[in-house]
């Protein structure tokens, strides 16, 4: 049996289509807690506000992209510069390491950035510092830092230095 499409059912389908297009392709100027997809990222926050090419997020911020997960109290994503800045209880989990700190700046296209007042943990390796720069896929440069490979045991030893260059699952040069 064939179902007959009436004028009103056709209008309802058009309305549903436009609602879906508007809901998923554009972020409203201000919105309540929700999830959206934005430039290949899945984003969730209590409050989202968009001005021009910048998305402001506040409260329980979650950003998932390239197999990585960012948690923060607030964040700003700049669409033109392809970067984000996250602040407050920041945790950034990648397939190889967990970064955390007061503030994280990251170019989400190149995956290069920095952590202020933070740490990095990869397996047993743990280092922290005033400023940690992610200089490559697995390489980091730490300023005024401390390095140990006893992350899960009582910290029986560590090295401190004003500059630490480290490669995950590789070397560490401490000055």
């Amino acid at each position: 049996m064939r179902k007959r499409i009436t004028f009103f059912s056709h209008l309802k389908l058009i309305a549903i289509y436009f609602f879906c297009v508007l809901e998923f392709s554009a972020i409203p100027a201000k919105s309540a807690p929700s999830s959206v997809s934005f430039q290949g990222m899945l984003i969730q926050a209590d409050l989202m506000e968009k001005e021009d090419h910048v998305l402001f997020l506040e409260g329980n911020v979650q950003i998932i992209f390239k197999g990585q997960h960012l948690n923060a109290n607030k964040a700003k994503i700049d669409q033109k510069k392809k970067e984000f800045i996250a602040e407050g209880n920041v945790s950034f989990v990648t397939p190889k390491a967990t970064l955390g700190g007061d503030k994280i700046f990251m170019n989400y296209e190149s995956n290069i950035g920095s952590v202020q007042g933070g740490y990095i943990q990869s397996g047993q390796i743990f280092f922290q510092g005033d400023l940690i720069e992610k200089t490559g896929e697995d390489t980091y440069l730490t300023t005024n830092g401390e390095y140990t490979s006893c992350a899960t045991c009582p910290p029986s030893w560590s090295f401190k230095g004003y500059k630490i260059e480290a490669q995950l699952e590789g070397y560490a040069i401490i000055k």
Side-chain angles (χ1 to χ4, degrees):
M1 184 171 147
R2 250 174 110 172
K3 189 172 181 181
R4 196 172 127 182
I5 298 177
T6 66
F7 175 74
F8 291 108
S9 63
H10 188 65
L11 271 177
K12 188 172 18 173
L13 287 173
I14 291 172
I16 290 170
Y17 170 77
F18 280 111
F19 174 76
C20 289
V21 167
L22 291 174
E23 178 70 21
F24 297 111
S25 67
I27 298 169
K30 220 175 202 183
S31 67
S34 62
S35 295
V36 296
S37 181
F38 182 73
Q39 290 195 331
M41 295 182 274
L42 180 60
I43 300 168
Q44 185 175 353
D46 291 342
L47 180 65
M48 294 185 194
E49 193 172 325
K50 186 176 180 190
E51 292 179 17
D52 297 322
H53 60 276
V54 179
L55 181 62
F56 297 93
L57 309 164
E58 199 164 320
N60 300 311
V61 175
Q62 308 283 322
I63 302 172
I64 298 172
F65 69 101
K66 293 183 178 180
Q68 303 172 115
H69 184 199
L70 173 84
N71 294 307
N73 292 341
K74 66 180 184 175
K76 178 177 97 172
I77 301 173
D78 190 316
Q79 181 180 6
K80 283 187 179 176
K81 294 180 181 177
K82 308 250 186 254
E83 63 188 24
F84 67 78
I85 298 171
E87 297 180 68
N89 298 317
V90 181
S91 172
F92 186 55
V93 180
T94 73
K96 291 188 177 181
T98 298
L99 291 74
D102 300 327
K103 189 176 192 178
I104 291 181
F105 164 83
M106 185 75 60
N107 180 299
Y108 57 83
E109 218 171 53
S110 68
N111 226 13
I112 304 293
S114 61
V115 182
Q116 290 180 352
Y119 68 89
I120 296 176
Q121 182 171 358
S122 178
Q124 287 286 97
I125 304 296
F126 180 86
F127 54 100
Q128 61 188 358
D130 293 343
L131 179 67
I132 302 170
E133 296 178 58
K134 188 174 188 299
T135 57
E137 189 61 36
D138 295 329
T139 55
Y140 297 88
L141 177 64
T142 305
T143 306
N144 295 325
E146 185 174 1
Y147 175 93
T148 185
S149 65
C150 274
T152 58
C153 56
S156 56
W157 68 270
S158 67
F159 291 105
K160 291 184 180 183
Y162 68 90
K163 184 177 176 184
I164 300 172
E165 294 177 59
Q167 179 180 14
L168 298 182
E169 300 174 2
Y171 66 89
I173 300 170
I174 302 166
K175 294 181 182 180

